[in-house]
Amino acid sequence: ITLPIVMYSVLRYWYLIESNSRIVRSPDRVYKDPGMVISVVIWMLLAIFLIYIYLCPAIIELILKIEKNHLPF
């Protein structure tokens, strides 16, 4: 699911290298490229969303099972 975003980032960086851009000459300038920044932000949001979707139901279910076993009645 996140592969297209990662591939875009890699290909964008490769393009910047091939075009001899000033951005790739120093690592701190990569953050000034809007395409790279947007792809990293989208990837992070998607990763957090996917972790939330897959892990939260399991954690909530585990908590409910624990609470159900410890009820006084």
Side-chain angles (χ1 to χ4, degrees):
I1 293 175
T2 61
L3 185 63
I5 299 167
V6 173
M7 290 301 298
Y8 171 79
S9 299
V10 169
L11 292 174
R12 174 75 181 160
Y13 192 72
W14 186 21
Y15 167 76
L16 292 173
I17 290 171
E18 292 295 321
S19 66
N20 204 15
S21 175
R22 292 182 304 163
I23 292 174
V24 294
R25 292 185 191 147
S26 64
D28 59 329
R29 292 185 185 170
V30 173
Y31 300 111
K32 295 181 181 178
D33 180 50
M36 293 295 288
V37 172
I38 290 171
S39 65
V40 169
V41 168
I42 290 173
W43 180 84
M44 289 173 58
L45 292 173
L46 186 58
I48 291 169
F49 176 73
L50 291 173
I51 290 171
Y52 177 77
I53 291 294
Y54 287 109
L55 287 183
C56 276
I59 292 171
I60 291 171
E61 183 179 340
L62 180 65
I63 291 171
L64 291 176
K65 283 182 182 179
I66 291 172
E67 286 180 358
K68 184 178 179 182
N69 291 336
H70 287 77
L71 290 175
F73 49 86

